[in-house]
């Protein structure tokens, strides 16, 4: 057994509760998403400033396409804003931005914007923000296997080969996953990389999850004994 006694290298955020927070505050769901979007920037930057090297945020799953057209459109617009306007802010903080997800069904302009954002920030070294957008843990593994098939792999499939073909192949395994809003499940989030991650659940809705709440989660992580199956 090994006590972590340190910050996680890779922090995963399942940002849940935007709509419930909005309802509780007599606001529209769209305003809930806006508040959650603003909080993601704040929490990700804070975590990286503290020394977390990778932050991956589950911001739009493949299942979210089933929401109302108006809500989906609003979420797309928030994503465009992040990629076009706020990437400059992240770049100034020396943060690298990477897309983790499928390109299928995604607007061509968003695909272009993410390519520009990744290119602009590719040499940044303070930390990496992974945007799990149009993401599915199942699909990520399927896509990795299909990449190997297309490459004409003739050797035995190994753990290393799978990892080399996941979305963002330089992103390490998760150390800590935080899920807000009281739900205690992982919802198809980074199924390969979550294998030995510590899980932390909080009743706080994502828009109200603060830097202080993150400090509490990180302190809890530092107390845990990581066994890695031993």
């Amino acid at each position: 057994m090994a006590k972590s006694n340190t910050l996680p290298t890779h922090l995963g955020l399942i940002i849940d509760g935007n709509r419930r927070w909005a309802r509780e505050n007599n606001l529209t769901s769209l305003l809930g998403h806006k508040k959650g979007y603003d909080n993601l920037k704040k929490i990700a930057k804070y975590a990286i400033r503290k020394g977390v090297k990778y932050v991956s945020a589950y911001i739009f799953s493949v299942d979210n396409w089933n929401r109302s057209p108006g809500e989906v459109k609003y979420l797309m617009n928030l994503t465009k804003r992040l990629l076009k306007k706020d990437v400059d802010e992240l770049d100034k903080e020396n943060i690298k931005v990477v897309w983790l997800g499928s390109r299928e069904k995604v607007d061509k302009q968003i695909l272009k914007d993410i390519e520009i954002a990744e290119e602009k920030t590719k040499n940044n070294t303070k930390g990496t923000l992974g945007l799990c957008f149009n993401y599915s843990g199942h699909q990520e593994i399927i896509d990795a296997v299909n990449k190997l098939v297309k490459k004409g792999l003739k050797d035995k499939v190994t753990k290393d080969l799978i990892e080399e073909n996941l979305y963002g192949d330089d992103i390490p395994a998760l150390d800590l996953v935080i899920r807000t809003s009281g739900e205690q499940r992982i919802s198809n989030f980074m199924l390969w990389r979550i294998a030995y991650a510590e899980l932390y659940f909080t009743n706080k809705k994502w828009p109200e999850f603060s830097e202080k709440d993150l400090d509490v989660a990180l302190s809890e992580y530092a107390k845990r004994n990581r066994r890695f199956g031993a």
Side-chain angles (χ1 to χ4, degrees):
M1 295 186 297
K3 232 176 190 178
S4 53
N5 289 326
T6 186
L7 290 170
T9 298
H10 187 187
L11 169 65
L13 299 173
I14 303 178
I15 52 178
D16 193 14
N18 290 340
R19 294 186 293 180
R20 276 169 281 180
W21 176 86
R23 286 195 297 269
E24 290 174 2
N25 289 276
N26 297 314
L27 299 171
T28 66
S29 295
L30 300 187
L31 288 176
H33 288 307
K34 172 63 169 57
K35 178 67 174 177
Y37 161 88
D38 291 336
N39 202 41
L40 171 59
K41 292 187 297 175
K42 180 176 71 174
I43 296 299
K45 289 191 294 183
Y46 181 71
I48 290 172
R49 286 172 188 160
K50 286 182 70 70
V52 177
K53 296 303 294 181
Y54 298 87
V55 177
S56 293
Y58 203 1
I59 61 175
F60 190 88
S61 80
V62 294
D63 298 317
N64 290 154
W65 292 109
N66 296 322
R67 294 185 176 183
S68 70
E71 185 175 359
V72 170
K73 182 178 179 180
Y74 188 80
L75 291 169
M76 294 302 111
N77 287 335
L78 284 178
T79 303
K80 289 177 183 178
R81 175 181 164 183
L82 172 62
L83 296 174
K84 299 190 86 170
K85 178 182 177 183
D86 297 316
V87 72
D88 290 335
E89 182 181 339
L90 296 169
D91 187 42
K92 288 178 182 177
E93 298 233 6
N94 198 22
I95 295 173
K96 180 180 178 179
V97 177
V98 296
W99 173 297
L100 305 173
S102 170
R103 264 62 174 173
E104 188 177 351
K105 295 178 68 174
V106 179
D107 180 83
K108 290 182 179 179
Q109 185 58 55
I110 291 181
L111 294 178
K112 182 177 180 180
D113 290 342
I114 190 60
E115 289 175 4
I116 293 171
E118 287 182 324
E119 179 64 27
K120 182 172 187 176
T121 65
K122 68 179 182 180
N123 295 317
N124 291 347
T125 58
K126 189 173 184 179
T128 297
L129 174 60
L131 301 176
C132 296
F133 183 91
N134 198 29
Y135 181 85
S136 157
H138 286 149
Q139 193 61 48
E140 179 177 25
I141 296 170
I142 291 169
D143 287 349
V145 173
N146 283 331
K147 285 180 185 178
L148 292 172
V149 171
K150 288 181 180 179
K151 292 175 182 177
L153 179 70
K154 296 180 181 179
D155 297 326
K156 185 178 180 180
V157 174
T158 65
K159 176 177 178 288
D160 288 341
L161 283 175
I162 294 290
E163 290 176 351
E164 289 168 7
N165 288 276
L166 295 173
Y167 302 144
D169 56 11
D170 60 340
I171 306 294
L174 286 160
D175 297 298
L176 172 65
V177 176
I178 297 173
R179 180 167 188 151
T180 54
S181 198
E183 305 293 346
Q184 297 189 18
R185 54 181 180 270
I186 60 174
S187 296
N188 204 11
F189 178 63
M190 289 197 155
L191 297 181
W192 187 276
R193 293 184 174 100
I194 207 171
Y196 292 106
E198 295 295 315
L199 306 180
Y200 181 88
F201 302 108
T202 174
N203 289 326
K204 288 282 188 78
K205 312 296 189 300
W206 174 251
E208 62 187 359
F209 186 83
S210 67
E211 291 105 324
K212 183 178 179 179
D213 293 317
L214 178 60
D215 286 337
V216 172
L218 294 177
S219 294
E220 170 65 23
Y221 170 80
K223 297 174 185 176
R224 295 191 183 181
N225 292 317
R226 302 193 69 192
R227 294 178 174 82
F228 298 98

